[in-house]
Amino acid sequence: MSRHPYRRLWGYFLRYRGALGAGLGFLVAGRLLLTWAPEHLKRGLSRLGQGGSEAVREGMQQAYLFLGVTVVGCVCVWAMRRLIVGASRRVERDLKRDVFEHLERLPIAWFDRMRTGDLISRLTSDVEAVRFSLGPGLMYVMSTIVTFPTALALMARVSLQLMLVTLIPLLGILVFVKKLSPAVFVRTRGVQDRTGDLSARAQESFAGARVVRAYATEQGEVEAFRAANRSLLTETRG
């Protein structure tokens, strides 16, 4: 799994390639329509500003086109979210099922080396991170890929110089993100580890509730949980 994690995950994605493909199709259509819709509004306002009955009629036609394109674009975005998020939820379900079945088949000696909280964290938050990458993550990336060149083309029609000036800070952002990505990866691993610590602390306290009550160590358990919770918050905030 460690050598080819994405290849292993790819099989889960392929199970729902129909929904994902349709969702991406709706994404492209929706983003293109919503990016182009203001063009109709601009044309309508331009015609209305010229005065005359013919100009008003054409201006209203452009306004209706703007409204229609916007509504269709919003419907496409809604359908895209339903399909892609729904597929990501089903992948999450399959992953959790398969991970649990795999854990059930492992030898007892393996569980002696692992904390229950870490296993719970892997089965919940780690799998949810995969779901987020496939669902919202895929939507954000593809939305940017579709919207960015379309917006640049529309900007270039208005002013090529202004478009080039706009690209300058974007290039800086790309460099910044590339430099920051390794740190984000390390920080994310740290958050997952602290989440495991918190789950382990809670599980151990609940499992040993009788012992905790018998020796009146409730306050110590509360303080230990608070410390783990603060560590998670610190790791999350960076």
Side-chain angles (χ1 to χ4, degrees):
M1 182 68 176
S2 59
R3 293 183 60 186
H4 304 290
Y6 296 108
R7 185 177 300 176
R8 294 287 298 274
L9 290 174
W10 187 246
Y12 290 94
F13 302 157
L14 290 179
R15 295 178 188 176
Y16 307 104
R17 56 185 177 274
L20 290 172
L24 291 176
F26 279 116
L27 184 150
V28 173
R31 290 306 174 188
L32 289 177
L33 288 171
L34 292 176
T35 304
W36 182 258
E39 187 71 15
H40 292 292
L41 183 61
K42 184 190 75 172
R43 293 174 182 175
L45 292 175
S46 177
R47 292 295 291 157
L48 289 173
Q50 295 175 5
S53 59
E54 183 66 21
V56 171
R57 185 183 65 82
E58 293 181 2
M60 291 304 298
Q61 287 178 347
Q62 292 296 325
Y64 293 142
L65 281 173
F66 167 75
L67 181 61
V69 169
T70 301
V71 170
V72 174
C74 290
V75 171
C76 288
V77 172
W78 173 82
M80 171 267 295
R81 293 187 63 86
R82 290 278 297 179
L83 288 166
I84 294 180
V85 172
S88 69
R89 288 292 186 183
R90 290 191 288 273
V91 168
E92 178 186 15
R93 176 201 60 194
D94 294 351
L95 271 174
K96 286 181 176 179
R97 178 198 62 208
D98 293 347
V99 170
F100 184 81
E101 291 178 358
H102 176 70
L103 291 175
E104 285 293 299
R105 292 192 293 267
L106 291 174
I108 298 298
W110 186 87
F111 288 93
D112 293 336
R113 302 191 301 270
M114 295 293 295
R115 297 183 303 177
T116 303
D118 287 332
L119 297 179
I120 295 174
S121 178
R122 299 297 180 268
L123 191 60
T124 55
S125 60
D126 286 13
V127 175
E128 288 170 3
V130 175
R131 189 264 306 170
F132 185 86
S133 298
L134 175 63
L138 179 63
M139 288 190 298
Y140 298 150
V141 170
M142 292 304 300
S143 178
T144 301
I145 291 175
V146 173
T147 305
F148 184 67
T150 306
L152 285 182
L154 293 174
M155 291 171 62
R157 291 182 57 189
V158 177
S159 173
L160 182 60
Q161 292 79 8
L162 182 61
M163 184 203 72
L164 294 175
V165 171
T166 305
L167 286 176
I168 295 175
L170 293 179
L171 294 176
I173 293 174
L174 289 176
V175 174
F176 178 76
V177 170
K178 184 177 180 180
K179 295 290 185 182
L180 192 63
S181 294
V184 171
F185 175 78
V186 173
R187 183 69 65 182
T188 301
R189 288 294 299 271
V191 169
Q192 296 301 101
D193 291 341
R194 299 293 78 75
T195 301
D197 294 341
L198 190 68
S199 299
R201 170 53 58 185
Q203 187 275 332
E204 291 169 3
S205 180
F206 297 150
R210 291 184 174 83
V211 177
V212 171
R213 291 295 179 87
Y215 288 93
T217 59
E218 293 94 341
Q219 190 58 38
E221 292 296 321
V222 170
E223 292 299 328
F225 185 84
R226 286 178 178 175
N229 206 14
R230 285 195 297 269
S231 297
L232 176 59
L233 176 62
T234 301
E235 196 73 47
T236 303
R237 296 172 61 183

